[in-house]
Amino acid sequence: MGWLWAIVVGFVLGLIAKAILPGKQHSPLWLTTIFGIIGAIIGNSLAGAFGIEETKGIDWGRHALQLAAALVVVGVGDMAYKMIKGNRQRA
């Protein structure tokens, strides 16, 4: 069940990050989900480092770190995807 939850959270984080980032992102939905999963993992690691991994109630700090990490990963990942995809089309 943990992997299914990670995919759902990654999907949602990836879509939110894609909606927040300005301009058009060219990465497909499956790749955006993977970027969101990676962002969630990085955000959880940062929350553990800051000592806010587990709190009573809703973990707003952890969720904010997950979203921030997803924004960075989706932005950088989309740039990398465009570079790789652009190089393939030129060849």
Side-chain angles (χ1 to χ4, degrees):
M1 191 68 176
W3 285 104
L4 179 62
W5 186 243
I7 292 170
V8 170
V9 169
F11 177 73
V12 171
L13 280 174
L15 288 181
I16 292 172
K18 221 173 179 182
I20 291 173
L21 288 171
K24 183 177 185 211
Q25 288 78 41
H26 303 323
S27 55
L29 190 57
W30 65 268
L31 193 55
T32 302
T33 302
I34 291 172
F35 292 156
I37 292 169
I38 294 169
I41 292 169
I42 293 170
N44 282 340
S45 298
L46 289 172
F50 292 140
I52 57 171
E53 188 174 15
E54 294 287 330
T55 59
K56 291 183 180 181
I58 299 174
D59 297 330
W60 293 111
R62 181 172 55 103
H63 296 316
L65 289 170
Q66 286 176 335
L67 181 58
L71 282 166
V72 171
V73 172
V74 168
V76 171
D78 188 62
M79 285 189 293
Y81 179 77
K82 281 194 299 189
M83 286 179 14
I84 292 169
K85 184 179 175 187
N87 288 340
R88 285 187 187 166
Q89 289 179 351
R90 289 185 200 153

